[in-house]
Structures are given as C-alpha cells and as structure tokens.
C-alpha cells in the first residue's frame, strides 16, 4: 500500500470513530438512522400511543451505548411493547440522582459514547429529568441533540382550538390552595395562551380556583389521556369546564389550556395589581374598614390584604400589617 493510500485509510477510520454509527430499524423499508457518537441524545417517548415512537427512538434504544432512564422498569416495558432489544448499559437517571450522575455519564460521552436520555413519557427536561445533564454538557462543551417526538403540551395546545402563536407553559398547577391562588392571580393579565399540567386528584379544587381568579367566561380546554384510545378534549368557558368536572370527574393525565386575557381583562388585572400599597397603607385601610363595618381588626386586615395583591400575585404579610395597625392606634 502506498503512503497516500495508507494515510487515506487512516483518515477514513478516524472519521468513522467520531462521526456516527448507523442503524436501520427492524424491517427492510425502515430508514437508515445515524447514531451520533460522543453525544448526549434526548429522545421523546410515547405519551400513550406506542405508534408514536419514532424510527430514531427505536434505533437509539437498540444502538446507544448507555441509556439513562427515569424509571428502568418502564424503559424495559417500553422496549418490550416496541419489540426492541435495549443494546446498551441501562442506568437510572431520575430527579433524586441526576445531578450526581451527570458528570459520570458525560465522562463516557468524552470517551465517544452515545448516551441516550429518556423519561417515562414525552420529552426529557420538560417536567422530567434531563436538565442537569444538559447544563453540565453545555458547561463542558460536549454535544447535545434531540430526537423529538410526542409532547402533551403541544398536543393539548393544538387540540384546544385556542391561539397557538404565543403561549406560556406553567408546568404543574401548585398543589396548595393558597399557592394556586397566587399563581393564577399573577397570570390574570397574561395575554398568551396558558398551559398547565394537573392531576385527577386536584382538578376539582383547581377548577374552583380558576373560576375565582379568571372568571366564568374565559375560554379553555381540558385535555385528558392524549393520544390514547379514550382521549377526550372538553372545550368551553371556565364555568362550563368546571361544571363538567363536577358532573363527570375526568380520569387519567390532564392538561389544561386557558385562553390569554383579552385587552380589557389585561388592563383591569394590571390596574388591580399596579402600584403596590405599603404595609402602612394597608394598615390604615384596615383600621378604616374595621370602624366602618364594625369588623374585628384582624378580619379587616384579612379582607384588605386579599383585595390588594402585590404585582407578582402574592399577598402582603398580615402579621406585619397587624403590627402596623398597633402603631397607628
């Protein structure tokens, strides 16, 4: 072999080491899928319908060197349903250990491994593990890519019939009543379409709080069990959806899509949370309310504080307001 031929062969072999492996999913008609080496790959998994699994997901499950899964049992269940053999090493990567796991996985990436990150359903990092390894990969200047796919957020948004040109995703609705009220209050002037996740155990209380903070007429959609055979989309006003929850409590995984505020709603909400009153101002108002309506000072304080939320939707500290009323008296 000539020197030039030997050099060309060496360069070709080196390129194969760093570029990609290829895989063809089961079946002769399946597309050839590149498996990038030395890369973290975030892959979306089906949120209910196994038919939504992409050819890239199947190839990655078969060929990735390491699969970092939110729940290893669910990973193997997914693989069984897809008829796929997971070829690489499987490690647990969940909310409680992902930070400590990240650097070890990225060390493998530096050595040329393909590390596949999957959650139980949908896209990793969206209310699921994956953020820690992405951040560390960016800090270490290591490549990260996505194999996109099913997303409950986008599915619900598309099916809601509400505007999709501008929207905000707010994650899960807060568990506690007071925290829900604060979050909803802070969003009353939001003009973008709003998307929330919710659970069947809390949906009744959440709908009560939405009615209280957004009013009865705001359009919305309640989407449940997306992509499954019993998928259901309930569309209507907040009051109508709330009544449907009372009459026919929904089951399964729920996504709420709420229309953004109209011009007049946004202006009214902004006016209500515009200039924050000081503790002294609130105390003075509470004293006036107490005298005018014959209320206990503590009851007057509770009413005044609730009527004058801070710009972020939170409420002033009632103990601080009470202390100020004592000074003013």
């Amino acid at each position: 072999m000539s020197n030039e031929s030997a050099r060309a062969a060496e360069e070709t072999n080196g390129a194969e080491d760093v570029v990609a492996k290829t895989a063809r999913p089961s079946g002769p008609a399946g597309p050839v899928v590149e498996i990038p080496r030395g890369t973290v790959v975030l892959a979306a998994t089906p949120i209910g319908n196994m038919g939504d699994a992409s050819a890239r997901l199947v190839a990655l499950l078969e060929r990735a060197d390491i699969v970092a899964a939110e729940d290893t049992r669910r990973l193997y269940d997914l693989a069984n349903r897809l008829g796929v053999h997971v070829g690489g090493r499987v490690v647990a990567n969940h909310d409680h250990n992902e930070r400590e796991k990240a650097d070890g996985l990225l060390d493998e990436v530096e050595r040329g491994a393909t590390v596949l990150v999957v959650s139980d359903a949908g896209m990793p990092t969206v209310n699921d593990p994956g953020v820690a390894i992405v951040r560390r990969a960016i800090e270490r200047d290591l490549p990260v890519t996505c194999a996109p796919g099913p997303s409950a957020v986008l599915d619900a948004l598309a099916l809601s019939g509400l505007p999709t040109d501008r929207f905000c995703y707010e994650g899960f609705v807060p568990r506690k009543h007071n925290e829900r009220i604060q979050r909803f209050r802070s969003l009353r002037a939001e003009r973008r379409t709003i998307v929330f996740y919710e659970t069947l155990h809390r949906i009744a209380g959440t709908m009560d709080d939405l009615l209280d903070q957004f009013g009865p007429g705001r359009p919305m959609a309640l989407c449940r069990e997306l992509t499954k055979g019993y998928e259901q989309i309930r569309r209507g006003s907040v009051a109508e959806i709330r009544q449907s929850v009372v009459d026919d409590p929904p089951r399964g995984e729920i996504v709420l899509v709420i229309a953004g505020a109209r011009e007049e709603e946004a202006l009214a909400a902004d006016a209500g949370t515009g200039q924050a009153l000081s503790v002294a101002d609130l105390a003075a108002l509470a004293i006036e309310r107490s005298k005018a309506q014959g209320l206990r000072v503590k009851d007057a304080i509770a009413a005044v504080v609730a009527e004058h939320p801070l710009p972020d939707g939170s409420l002033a500290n009632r103990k601080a307001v009470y202390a100020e009323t004592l000074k003013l008296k």
Side-chain angles (χ1 to χ4, degrees), residues 21-90:
K21 296 177 285 184
T22 62
R24 184 183 296 277
S26 302
V32 174
V33 178
E34 287 193 348
I35 309 297
R37 302 197 64 179
T39 302
V40 176
V41 184
L42 308 174
T45 54
I47 60 175
N49 191 321
M50 289 298 111
D52 294 334
S54 69
R56 284 181 71 190
L57 173 64
V58 170
L60 285 160
L61 288 171
E62 291 177 335
R63 299 299 182 91
D65 300 296
I66 301 171
V67 180
E70 181 179 5
D71 185 321
T72 57
R73 291 169 300 180
R74 292 196 180 188
L75 169 70
Y76 285 119
D77 180 61
L78 171 65
N80 287 337
R81 292 187 181 195
L82 296 176
V84 173
H85 172 71
V86 178
R89 178 164 58 95
V90 174

Side-chain angles (χ1 to χ4, degrees), residues 119-143:
S119 60
D120 291 343
M123 177 60 71
T125 76
V126 181
N127 272 106
D128 280 324
V131 174
I133 192 170
V134 171
R135 286 178 176 168
R136 283 297 292 147
I138 292 169
E139 291 168 359
R140 293 177 57 167
D141 197 26
L142 293 170

Side-chain angles (χ1 to χ4, degrees), residues 78-119:
L78 171 65
N80 287 337
R81 292 187 181 195
L82 296 176
V84 173
H85 172 71
V86 178
R89 178 164 58 95
V90 174
V91 299
N93 183 67
H94 46 72
D95 289 332
H96 304 295
N97 73 354
E98 64 168 333
R99 289 186 180 180
E100 63 191 54
K101 289 275 188 180
D103 276 311
L105 292 170
L106 293 172
D107 289 343
E108 297 287 349
V109 170
E110 278 192 322
R111 289 191 280 269
T114 301
V115 174
L116 174 64
V117 179
V118 294
S119 60

Side-chain angles (χ1 to χ4, degrees), residues 69-276:
E70 181 179 5
D71 185 321
T72 57
R73 291 169 300 180
R74 292 196 180 188
L75 169 70
Y76 285 119
D77 180 61
L78 171 65
N80 287 337
R81 292 187 181 195
L82 296 176
V84 173
H85 172 71
V86 178
R89 178 164 58 95
V90 174
V91 299
N93 183 67
H94 46 72
D95 289 332
H96 304 295
N97 73 354
E98 64 168 333
R99 289 186 180 180
E100 63 191 54
K101 289 275 188 180
D103 276 311
L105 292 170
L106 293 172
D107 289 343
E108 297 287 349
V109 170
E110 278 192 322
R111 289 191 280 269
T114 301
V115 174
L116 174 64
V117 179
V118 294
S119 60
D120 291 343
M123 177 60 71
T125 76
V126 181
N127 272 106
D128 280 324
V131 174
I133 192 170
V134 171
R135 286 178 176 168
R136 283 297 292 147
I138 292 169
E139 291 168 359
R140 293 177 57 167
D141 197 26
L142 293 170
V144 183
T145 190
C146 276
S151 166
V153 174
L154 296 180
D155 284 2
L157 183 67
L159 293 171
S160 70
L162 298 172
T164 61
D165 53 338
R166 297 178 67 231
F167 71 94
C168 61
Y169 170 58
E170 289 286 320
F172 275 96
V173 174
R175 292 171 180 247
K176 297 181 179 178
H177 167 72
N178 289 340
E179 293 175 359
R180 284 199 301 269
I181 291 293
Q182 179 180 334
R183 179 76 68 83
F184 293 160
R185 187 184 290 125
S186 72
L187 290 167
R188 284 190 300 199
E190 175 59 66
R191 302 189 189 207
R192 296 172 294 179
T193 301
I194 307 163
V195 184
F196 277 108
Y197 281 162
E198 187 51 294
T199 67
L200 61 93
H201 306 293
R202 296 194 295 270
I203 186 61
T206 289
M207 290 308 307
D208 288 343
D209 293 340
L210 278 174
L211 180 66
D212 180 57
Q213 293 302 312
F214 286 83
R218 183 80 69 96
M220 69 169 293
L222 183 155
C223 309
R224 56 176 290 270
E225 297 295 76
L226 290 167
T227 77
K228 298 178 182 177
Y230 31 91
E231 171 182 284
Q232 182 187 57
I233 314 298
R234 303 182 185 183
R235 304 177 183 90
S237 67
V238 168
E240 290 168 340
I241 299 302
R242 175 186 174 276
Q243 190 60 48
S244 83
V245 168
V246 173
D247 296 338
D248 181 18
R251 298 181 179 181
E253 298 177 353
I254 298 168
V255 186
L256 301 175
V257 187
I258 305 156
R262 300 192 309 272
E263 182 81 15
E264 59 271 24
E265 290 174 326
L267 291 174
D270 283 337
T273 58
Q275 183 65 40

Side-chain angles (χ1 to χ4, degrees), residues 4 25 50 161 317 323:
E4 288 185 1
M50 289 298 111
N317 186 298

